[in-house]
PDB file of all heavy atoms in Angstrom:
ATOM      1  N   TYR A   1     -33.328  68.022  24.532  1.00  0.00           N
ATOM      2  CA  TYR A   1     -32.201  68.943  24.711  1.00  0.00           C
ATOM      3  C   TYR A   1     -31.495  68.662  26.037  1.00  0.00           C
ATOM      4  O   TYR A   1     -32.138  68.443  27.065  1.00  0.00           O
ATOM      5  CB  TYR A   1     -32.674  70.390  24.709  1.00  0.00           C
ATOM      6  CG  TYR A   1     -33.126  70.916  23.363  1.00  0.00           C
ATOM      7  CD1 TYR A   1     -34.474  70.892  23.007  1.00  0.00           C
ATOM      8  CD2 TYR A   1     -32.208  71.434  22.456  1.00  0.00           C
ATOM      9  CE1 TYR A   1     -34.895  71.372  21.775  1.00  0.00           C
ATOM     10  CE2 TYR A   1     -32.624  71.925  21.223  1.00  0.00           C
ATOM     11  CZ  TYR A   1     -33.974  71.883  20.896  1.00  0.00           C
ATOM     12  OH  TYR A   1     -34.386  72.368  19.676  1.00  0.00           O
ATOM     13  N   TYR A   2     -30.166  68.719  26.000  1.00  0.00           N
ATOM     14  CA  TYR A   2     -29.356  68.555  27.204  1.00  0.00           C
ATOM     15  C   TYR A   2     -28.292  69.646  27.224  1.00  0.00           C
ATOM     16  O   TYR A   2     -27.692  69.969  26.187  1.00  0.00           O
ATOM     17  CB  TYR A   2     -28.675  67.181  27.235  1.00  0.00           C
ATOM     18  CG  TYR A   2     -29.631  66.040  27.462  1.00  0.00           C
ATOM     19  CD1 TYR A   2     -30.305  65.453  26.392  1.00  0.00           C
ATOM     20  CD2 TYR A   2     -29.873  65.553  28.745  1.00  0.00           C
ATOM     21  CE1 TYR A   2     -31.202  64.403  26.588  1.00  0.00           C
ATOM     22  CE2 TYR A   2     -30.759  64.504  28.954  1.00  0.00           C
ATOM     23  CZ  TYR A   2     -31.415  63.944  27.880  1.00  0.00           C
ATOM     24  OH  TYR A   2     -32.308  62.922  28.095  1.00  0.00           O
ATOM     25  N   ILE A   3     -28.073  70.213  28.395  1.00  0.00           N
ATOM     26  CA  ILE A   3     -27.029  71.229  28.595  1.00  0.00           C
ATOM     27  C   ILE A   3     -25.908  70.594  29.405  1.00  0.00           C
ATOM     28  O   ILE A   3     -26.155  70.021  30.476  1.00  0.00           O
ATOM     29  CB  ILE A   3     -27.570  72.459  29.348  1.00  0.00           C
ATOM     30  CG1 ILE A   3     -28.870  72.944  28.715  1.00  0.00           C
ATOM     31  CG2 ILE A   3     -26.522  73.561  29.377  1.00  0.00           C
ATOM     32  CD1 ILE A   3     -28.757  73.336  27.277  1.00  0.00           C
ATOM     33  N   ILE A   4     -24.689  70.681  28.908  1.00  0.00           N
ATOM     34  CA  ILE A   4     -23.532  70.090  29.576  1.00  0.00           C
ATOM     35  C   ILE A   4     -22.610  71.211  30.049  1.00  0.00           C
ATOM     36  O   ILE A   4     -22.190  72.069  29.261  1.00  0.00           O
ATOM     37  CB  ILE A   4     -22.782  69.132  28.627  1.00  0.00           C
ATOM     38  CG1 ILE A   4     -23.681  67.950  28.263  1.00  0.00           C
ATOM     39  CG2 ILE A   4     -21.481  68.642  29.261  1.00  0.00           C
ATOM     40  CD1 ILE A   4     -23.188  67.137  27.107  1.00  0.00           C
ATOM     41  N   LEU A   5     -22.312  71.202  31.338  1.00  0.00           N
ATOM     42  CA  LEU A   5     -21.367  72.146  31.941  1.00  0.00           C
ATOM     43  C   LEU A   5     -20.237  71.334  32.546  1.00  0.00           C
ATOM     44  O   LEU A   5     -20.486  70.396  33.306  1.00  0.00           O
ATOM     45  CB  LEU A   5     -22.060  72.988  33.024  1.00  0.00           C
ATOM     46  CG  LEU A   5     -23.317  73.755  32.603  1.00  0.00           C
ATOM     47  CD1 LEU A   5     -23.961  74.419  33.805  1.00  0.00           C
ATOM     48  CD2 LEU A   5     -22.991  74.793  31.541  1.00  0.00           C
ATOM     49  N   ALA A   6     -18.993  71.686  32.229  1.00  0.00           N
ATOM     50  CA  ALA A   6     -17.853  70.906  32.715  1.00  0.00           C
ATOM     51  C   ALA A   6     -16.689  71.821  33.072  1.00  0.00           C
ATOM     52  O   ALA A   6     -16.594  72.947  32.590  1.00  0.00           O
ATOM     53  CB  ALA A   6     -17.419  69.892  31.652  1.00  0.00           C
ATOM     54  N   GLY A   7     -15.807  71.284  33.930  1.00  0.00           N
ATOM     55  CA  GLY A   7     -14.618  72.024  34.327  1.00  0.00           C
ATOM     56  C   GLY A   7     -14.740  72.681  35.681  1.00  0.00           C
ATOM     57  O   GLY A   7     -13.835  73.399  36.114  1.00  0.00           O
ATOM     58  N   MET A   8     -15.858  72.445  36.387  1.00  0.00           N
ATOM     59  CA  MET A   8     -16.054  73.064  37.698  1.00  0.00           C
ATOM     60  C   MET A   8     -15.223  72.343  38.764  1.00  0.00           C
ATOM     61  O   MET A   8     -14.765  71.221  38.554  1.00  0.00           O
ATOM     62  CB  MET A   8     -17.536  73.035  38.090  1.00  0.00           C
ATOM     63  CG  MET A   8     -18.437  73.838  37.167  1.00  0.00           C
ATOM     64  SD  MET A   8     -18.967  72.924  35.715  1.00  0.00           S
ATOM     65  CE  MET A   8     -20.121  71.756  36.433  1.00  0.00           C
ATOM     66  N   ASP A   9     -15.092  72.985  39.897  1.00  0.00           N
ATOM     67  CA  ASP A   9     -14.388  72.382  41.024  1.00  0.00           C
ATOM     68  C   ASP A   9     -15.353  71.670  41.967  1.00  0.00           C
ATOM     69  O   ASP A   9     -14.998  70.654  42.563  1.00  0.00           O
ATOM     70  CB  ASP A   9     -13.630  73.462  41.809  1.00  0.00           C
ATOM     71  CG  ASP A   9     -12.882  72.898  43.008  1.00  0.00           C
ATOM     72  OD1 ASP A   9     -11.930  72.131  42.795  1.00  0.00           O
ATOM     73  OD2 ASP A   9     -13.258  73.228  44.153  1.00  0.00           O
ATOM     74  N   ARG A  10     -16.575  72.203  42.086  1.00  0.00           N
ATOM     75  CA  ARG A  10     -17.554  71.612  43.004  1.00  0.00           C
ATOM     76  C   ARG A  10     -18.951  71.813  42.451  1.00  0.00           C
ATOM     77  O   ARG A  10     -19.306  72.903  42.001  1.00  0.00           O
ATOM     78  CB  ARG A  10     -17.442  72.268  44.380  1.00  0.00           C
ATOM     79  CG  ARG A  10     -18.345  71.660  45.436  1.00  0.00           C
ATOM     80  CD  ARG A  10     -18.111  72.298  46.799  1.00  0.00           C
ATOM     81  NE  ARG A  10     -18.586  73.671  46.893  1.00  0.00           N
ATOM     82  CZ  ARG A  10     -17.816  74.732  46.856  1.00  0.00           C
ATOM     83  NH1 ARG A  10     -16.503  74.595  46.719  1.00  0.00           N
ATOM     84  NH2 ARG A  10     -18.329  75.959  46.942  1.00  0.00           N
ATOM     85  N   ILE A  11     -19.757  70.742  42.462  1.00  0.00           N
ATOM     86  CA  ILE A  11     -21.155  70.809  42.038  1.00  0.00           C
ATOM     87  C   ILE A  11     -22.024  70.743  43.291  1.00  0.00           C
ATOM     88  O   ILE A  11     -21.782  69.929  44.181  1.00  0.00           O
ATOM     89  CB  ILE A  11     -21.501  69.655  41.081  1.00  0.00           C
ATOM     90  CG1 ILE A  11     -20.681  69.779  39.796  1.00  0.00           C
ATOM     91  CG2 ILE A  11     -22.991  69.648  40.752  1.00  0.00           C
ATOM     92  CD1 ILE A  11     -20.872  68.627  38.832  1.00  0.00           C
ATOM     93  N   ASN A  12     -23.057  71.593  43.357  1.00  0.00           N
ATOM     94  CA  ASN A  12     -23.880  71.630  44.561  1.00  0.00           C
ATOM     95  C   ASN A  12     -25.356  71.333  44.279  1.00  0.00           C
ATOM     96  O   ASN A  12     -26.242  71.880  44.928  1.00  0.00           O
ATOM     97  CB  ASN A  12     -23.728  72.968  45.295  1.00  0.00           C
ATOM     98  CG  ASN A  12     -23.854  74.155  44.360  1.00  0.00           C
ATOM     99  OD1 ASN A  12     -24.718  74.183  43.492  1.00  0.00           O
ATOM    100  ND2 ASN A  12     -22.975  75.132  44.522  1.00  0.00           N
ATOM    101  N   VAL A  13     -25.614  70.476  43.276  1.00  0.00           N
ATOM    102  CA  VAL A  13     -26.965  69.952  43.047  1.00  0.00           C
ATOM    103  C   VAL A  13     -26.869  68.430  42.954  1.00  0.00           C
ATOM    104  O   VAL A  13     -25.794  67.877  42.707  1.00  0.00           O
ATOM    105  CB  VAL A  13     -27.603  70.525  41.766  1.00  0.00           C
ATOM    106  CG1 VAL A  13     -27.848  72.018  41.902  1.00  0.00           C
ATOM    107  CG2 VAL A  13     -26.737  70.252  40.542  1.00  0.00           C
ATOM    108  N   ASN A  14     -28.006  67.762  43.142  1.00  0.00           N
ATOM    109  CA  ASN A  14     -28.043  66.301  43.126  1.00  0.00           C
ATOM    110  C   ASN A  14     -28.718  65.797  41.857  1.00  0.00           C
ATOM    111  O   ASN A  14     -29.536  66.495  41.241  1.00  0.00           O
ATOM    112  CB  ASN A  14     -28.815  65.781  44.345  1.00  0.00           C
ATOM    113  CG  ASN A  14     -28.200  66.258  45.644  1.00  0.00           C
ATOM    114  OD1 ASN A  14     -26.983  66.373  45.775  1.00  0.00           O
ATOM    115  ND2 ASN A  14     -29.045  66.548  46.628  1.00  0.00           N
ATOM    116  N   VAL A  15     -28.395  64.571  41.480  1.00  0.00           N
ATOM    117  CA  VAL A  15     -29.015  63.934  40.323  1.00  0.00           C
ATOM    118  C   VAL A  15     -30.525  63.834  40.564  1.00  0.00           C
ATOM    119  O   VAL A  15     -30.976  63.464  41.643  1.00  0.00           O
ATOM    120  CB  VAL A  15     -28.420  62.539  40.083  1.00  0.00           C
ATOM    121  CG1 VAL A  15     -29.178  61.808  38.972  1.00  0.00           C
ATOM    122  CG2 VAL A  15     -26.942  62.651  39.722  1.00  0.00           C
ATOM    123  N   GLY A  16     -31.294  64.184  39.547  1.00  0.00           N
ATOM    124  CA  GLY A  16     -32.738  64.141  39.650  1.00  0.00           C
ATOM    125  C   GLY A  16     -33.362  65.430  40.155  1.00  0.00           C
ATOM    126  O   GLY A  16     -34.583  65.599  40.079  1.00  0.00           O
ATOM    127  N   GLN A  17     -32.565  66.358  40.644  1.00  0.00           N
ATOM    128  CA  GLN A  17     -33.081  67.607  41.213  1.00  0.00           C
ATOM    129  C   GLN A  17     -33.538  68.547  40.103  1.00  0.00           C
ATOM    130  O   GLN A  17     -32.870  68.700  39.081  1.00  0.00           O
ATOM    131  CB  GLN A  17     -31.995  68.275  42.054  1.00  0.00           C
ATOM    132  CG  GLN A  17     -32.373  69.608  42.662  1.00  0.00           C
ATOM    133  CD  GLN A  17     -31.244  70.185  43.499  1.00  0.00           C
ATOM    134  OE1 GLN A  17     -30.372  69.445  43.982  1.00  0.00           O
ATOM    135  NE2 GLN A  17     -31.244  71.492  43.676  1.00  0.00           N
ATOM    136  N   PHE A  18     -34.703  69.198  40.294  1.00  0.00           N
ATOM    137  CA  PHE A  18     -35.157  70.212  39.344  1.00  0.00           C
ATOM    138  C   PHE A  18     -34.439  71.528  39.640  1.00  0.00           C
ATOM    139  O   PHE A  18     -34.357  71.965  40.785  1.00  0.00           O
ATOM    140  CB  PHE A  18     -36.667  70.422  39.440  1.00  0.00           C
ATOM    141  CG  PHE A  18     -37.182  71.474  38.499  1.00  0.00           C
ATOM    142  CD1 PHE A  18     -37.178  71.260  37.132  1.00  0.00           C
ATOM    143  CD2 PHE A  18     -37.633  72.701  38.983  1.00  0.00           C
ATOM    144  CE1 PHE A  18     -37.637  72.236  36.255  1.00  0.00           C
ATOM    145  CE2 PHE A  18     -38.086  73.682  38.114  1.00  0.00           C
ATOM    146  CZ  PHE A  18     -38.089  73.444  36.747  1.00  0.00           C
ATOM    147  N   ILE A  19     -33.919  72.147  38.596  1.00  0.00           N
ATOM    148  CA  ILE A  19     -33.100  73.352  38.728  1.00  0.00           C
ATOM    149  C   ILE A  19     -33.762  74.495  37.975  1.00  0.00           C
ATOM    150  O   ILE A  19     -34.228  74.320  36.840  1.00  0.00           O
ATOM    151  CB  ILE A  19     -31.684  73.112  38.162  1.00  0.00           C
ATOM    152  CG1 ILE A  19     -31.046  71.883  38.791  1.00  0.00           C
ATOM    153  CG2 ILE A  19     -30.805  74.332  38.361  1.00  0.00           C
ATOM    154  CD1 ILE A  19     -29.823  71.393  38.040  1.00  0.00           C
ATOM    155  N   LEU A  20     -33.786  75.646  38.591  1.00  0.00           N
ATOM    156  CA  LEU A  20     -34.319  76.847  37.940  1.00  0.00           C
ATOM    157  C   LEU A  20     -33.219  77.550  37.149  1.00  0.00           C
ATOM    158  O   LEU A  20     -32.042  77.508  37.520  1.00  0.00           O
ATOM    159  CB  LEU A  20     -34.881  77.818  38.978  1.00  0.00           C
ATOM    160  CG  LEU A  20     -36.022  77.331  39.868  1.00  0.00           C
ATOM    161  CD1 LEU A  20     -36.415  78.440  40.832  1.00  0.00           C
ATOM    162  CD2 LEU A  20     -37.210  76.897  39.047  1.00  0.00           C
ATOM    163  N   ALA A  21     -33.603  78.212  36.072  1.00  0.00           N
ATOM    164  CA  ALA A  21     -32.651  79.048  35.340  1.00  0.00           C
ATOM    165  C   ALA A  21     -32.133  80.138  36.268  1.00  0.00           C
ATOM    166  O   ALA A  21     -32.906  80.816  36.939  1.00  0.00           O
ATOM    167  CB  ALA A  21     -33.321  79.672  34.128  1.00  0.00           C
ATOM    168  N   GLY A  22     -30.826  80.297  36.319  1.00  0.00           N
ATOM    169  CA  GLY A  22     -30.219  81.301  37.186  1.00  0.00           C
ATOM    170  C   GLY A  22     -29.861  80.787  38.554  1.00  0.00           C
ATOM    171  O   GLY A  22     -29.219  81.498  39.331  1.00  0.00           O
ATOM    172  N   GLU A  23     -30.256  79.554  38.888  1.00  0.00           N
ATOM    173  CA  GLU A  23     -29.913  78.988  40.191  1.00  0.00           C
ATOM    174  C   GLU A  23     -28.450  78.548  40.210  1.00  0.00           C
ATOM    175  O   GLU A  23     -27.950  78.013  39.215  1.00  0.00           O
ATOM    176  CB  GLU A  23     -30.806  77.775  40.487  1.00  0.00           C
ATOM    177  CG  GLU A  23     -31.641  77.933  41.732  1.00  0.00           C
ATOM    178  CD  GLU A  23     -32.393  76.663  42.105  1.00  0.00           C
ATOM    179  OE1 GLU A  23     -32.979  76.043  41.220  1.00  0.00           O
ATOM    180  OE2 GLU A  23     -32.367  76.326  43.302  1.00  0.00           O
ATOM    181  N   PRO A  24     -27.731  78.732  41.312  1.00  0.00           N
ATOM    182  CA  PRO A  24     -26.328  78.293  41.374  1.00  0.00           C
ATOM    183  C   PRO A  24     -26.243  76.776  41.390  1.00  0.00           C
ATOM    184  O   PRO A  24     -26.935  76.114  42.165  1.00  0.00           O
ATOM    185  CB  PRO A  24     -25.830  78.901  42.690  1.00  0.00           C
ATOM    186  CG  PRO A  24     -27.057  79.065  43.525  1.00  0.00           C
ATOM    187  CD  PRO A  24     -28.170  79.375  42.574  1.00  0.00           C
ATOM    188  N   VAL A  25     -25.403  76.234  40.535  1.00  0.00           N
ATOM    189  CA  VAL A  25     -25.268  74.776  40.434  1.00  0.00           C
ATOM    190  C   VAL A  25     -23.850  74.299  40.711  1.00  0.00           C
ATOM    191  O   VAL A  25     -23.630  73.119  40.990  1.00  0.00           O
ATOM    192  CB  VAL A  25     -25.722  74.274  39.050  1.00  0.00           C
ATOM    193  CG1 VAL A  25     -27.208  74.494  38.866  1.00  0.00           C
ATOM    194  CG2 VAL A  25     -24.930  74.953  37.928  1.00  0.00           C
TER     195      VAL A  25
END
């Protein structure tokens, strides 16, 4: 499964980083 989010102005996570549900990305 992959989740795709698009249309943002700025992303504040890095490739390979583990992200928690609810964390700002």
Side-chain angles (χ1 to χ4, degrees):
Y1 289 95
Y2 290 86
I3 311 301
I4 296 166
L5 305 174
M8 297 85 72
D9 180 66
R10 184 176 70 257
I11 296 176
N12 48 43
V13 294
N14 302 324
V15 174
Q17 178 179 337
F18 179 69
I19 307 165
L20 300 179
E23 240 187 315
V25 294

